[in-house]
DNA sequence: CGCAGGTTTGAGAGGAGTCAAGGGTTGTGG
DNA sequence: CCACAACCCTTGACTCCTCTCAAACCTGCG
């Protein structure tokens, strides 16, 4: 069941190689990974809470959230994954994580069997290290979320999230915009606020001409102020990038 | 600079092998890791915020917190590490994490150079996978902390933390106790509360005869109620343990 | 056109923060 | 062995950020 190299896998390989060094054989072995495409409709939970999975997925297009919930059913989104991310790469070495995956928008995935990934990492140490590093970068984002949710007020917290997403989409800067098709309810689940309070917070950012959020877009009107309000420092997102130190330092505050 | 096998490393090897499979050569290579002991006094930051490190540490004795802080200087503890843990194993593949390490109590460490760990993982895939898995387990705890801080009230949040620590110390159960030498200030930094509110919350647990906290000990008076209040489910702590499914399931709620 | 889902706004309640003071413990030095 | 200092814990009163409940308003779509 070896599939021919697919463009999304090529893109992910390129992404991995920004942070980790692959030789030609690593790259070839990686691209030989079997992968099965899947379409997920918006607002579907495609991995339920606590479910065991035997494959990891790569986001080709769309937006995916990893979530948990308390006993009252209040959801908490713990991570957001954009195209090029693998939301549950961790499941390769720990198959039951107790969290679920939800499509925030219509999403295209590539499913890759755990078994194939394990075989690959056992034969190619550089690939194993790259996957390890991806998981560690995800954990660094998670750590920043603990800080954000725990020690920042609603306004700073919201601004910080917008900064993070803008940065990850490569859209950091004044008068830039990016696709972010989520409801205020979903934002609330990311920020550990209520939808009502998210609404008021976004209103404040809008009225102060800092950022404007719409149905499916976020427009940044004043990047510097957004960074200042959100206490944003992209170091935690860039830390894995020893390989191209010069890249994307241009739009920093 | 190869050191003779040290007891703490032996203990950590045993711990790794609960979750990951090592053969004799993996184990021998692991035990040959060079390690330098270090004593840290209580309440010292031994890795400052944003500092680059060239070694990872193993907690031999004591208690270590990984922390971040907002611009006001409010600290947020993102992880607590007990003897046998490696608080910054992630730094092997991502050397600048933007968080610091703090000794919550007098602590003995073993420092292991990144270079040695990298050499080991490149030659022994099983060890690389074990380290990857350890990082993923840490990330699972981190994800649970996002949920805890984001979606649980002070009482539940505090109870959940006590449950987690009891479980990790192997002291889960009614009328059991464990060493946990931290101040209410430190608890507040873990729970994203103020010390004053932590105090009131602990008072409530004490008065309801659920748990009693002292200077250096936590006594659990009613494990079942503590689990119920904290909505605690140890699945996220046990998920990495495919190798000994029967172990420590006895004290569950 | 009308419905469903999402957004916006208001009013009131409540959980946690802030400020401040007093009381305990622990450790140290005289 | 006592005394003191430092640190931590405890409690009260008040404030304020965020939640809750509720209603009205969009807006895209069947």
């Amino acid at each position: 069941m070896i599939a021919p190299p697919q463009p999304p896998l090529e893109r992910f390989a390129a992404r991995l190689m920004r942070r980790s060094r692959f030789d030609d054989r690593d790259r070839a072995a990686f691209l030989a990974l079997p992968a099965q495409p899947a379409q997920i409709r918006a607002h579907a939970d495609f991995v339920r809470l606590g479910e065991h999975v035997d494959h990891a997925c790569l986001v080709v297009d769309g937006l995916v959230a990893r979530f948990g919930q308390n006993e009252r059913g209040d959801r908490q989104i713990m991570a957001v994954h954009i195209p090029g991310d693998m939301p549950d790469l961790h499941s390769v070495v720990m198959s039951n994580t107790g969290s679920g995956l939800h499509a925030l928008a219509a999403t295209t995935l590539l499913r890759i069997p755990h078994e194939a990934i394990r075989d690959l990492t056992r034969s190619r140490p550089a690939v194993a290290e790259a996957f390890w590093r991806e998981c560690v970068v995800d954990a660094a984002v998670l750590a920043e979320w603990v800080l954000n949710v725990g020690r920042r007020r609603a306004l700073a917290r919201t601004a910080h999230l917008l900064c993070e997403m803008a940065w990850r989409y490569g859209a950091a800067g004044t008068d830039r915009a990016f696709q972010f098709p989520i409801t205020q309810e979903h934002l609330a689940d990311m920020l550990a606020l209520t939808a009502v309070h998210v609404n008021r917070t976004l209103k404040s950012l809008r009225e102060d001409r800092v950022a404007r959020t719409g149905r499916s877009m976020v427009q940044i009107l004043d990047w510097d102020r957004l960074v200042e309000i959100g206490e944003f420092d992209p170091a935690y997102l860039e830390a894995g990038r020893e390989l191209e130190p010069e890249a994307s330092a241009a739009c920093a505050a």
Side-chain angles (χ1 to χ4, degrees), chain A:
Chain A
M1 86 176 255
I2 290 187
Q6 306 199 29
L9 267 184
E10 305 250 15
R11 250 173 58 202
F12 189 58
R15 196 186 121 106
L16 284 175
M17 290 166 73
R18 286 189 320 213
R19 291 193 181 115
S20 306
R21 212 171 292 281
F22 278 15
D23 65 25
D24 290 345
R25 292 174 59 202
D26 294 323
R27 189 160 184 283
F30 179 85
L31 291 176
L33 238 25
Q36 188 185 348
Q39 298 289 334
I40 314 288
R41 64 175 205 291
H43 300 193
D45 291 351
F46 61 96
V47 174
R48 266 167 307 234
L49 265 172
E51 185 177 341
H52 265 266
V53 291
D54 62 357
H55 56 265
C57 61
L58 169 63
V59 181
V60 176
D61 195 69
L63 203 56
V64 167
R66 187 149 74 91
F67 68 93
Q69 60 185 59
N70 66 14
E71 284 185 358
R72 249 190 48 177
D74 300 326
R75 286 198 168 191
Q76 175 64 48
I77 291 176
M78 295 142 168
V80 178
H81 291 281
I82 68 177
D85 290 344
M86 292 192 67
D88 57 355
L89 182 56
H90 51 83
S91 66
V92 171
V93 292
M94 179 169 159
S95 62
N96 171 17
T97 61
S99 52
L101 292 179
H102 176 90
L104 294 166
T107 296
T108 306
L109 300 176
L110 229 42
R111 294 195 211 267
I112 307 172
H114 284 167
E115 210 46 61
I117 295 178
R118 264 188 231 109
D119 288 346
L120 172 61
T121 56
R122 283 170 187 166
S123 63
R124 311 255 18 125
V127 178
E129 188 175 313
F131 284 167
W132 178 12
R133 180 169 291 114
E134 288 301 304
C135 284
V136 165
V137 170
D138 283 348
V141 174
L142 209 48
E144 190 66 30
W145 278 42
V146 173
L147 177 59
N148 203 35
V149 169
R151 290 297 186 204
R152 282 196 267 263
R153 291 277 138 93
L155 187 67
R157 203 186 297 177
T158 305
H160 193 277
L161 179 71
L162 294 181
C163 286
E164 177 183 318
M165 294 318 301
W167 191 269
R168 288 169 62 190
Y169 274 114
T174 291
D175 288 325
R176 300 197 60 181
F178 58 98
Q179 290 290 129
F180 199 50
I182 56 171
T183 64
Q184 294 180 357
E185 196 96 32
H186 281 140
L187 263 182
D189 290 345
M190 294 177 198
L191 295 166
L193 296 169
T194 56
V196 171
H197 204 69
V198 166
N199 184 283
R200 294 192 230 271
T201 306
L202 292 177
K203 179 186 180 186
S204 153
L205 288 173
R206 191 192 323 137
E207 287 178 346
D208 291 351
R209 308 191 160 283
V210 176
R212 184 181 302 276
T213 57
R215 274 209 159 288
S216 61
M217 292 279 275
V218 174
Q219 275 180 60
I220 298 162
L221 306 176
D222 186 340
W223 174 251
D224 292 345
R225 286 214 49 213
L226 192 63
V227 164
E228 190 186 341
I229 293 169
E231 308 183 353
F232 180 69
D233 175 354
Y236 72 103
L237 292 170
E238 295 300 308
R241 304 227 189 152
E242 273 96 35
L243 298 185
E244 44 160 28
E246 76 291 347
S248 63
C251 16

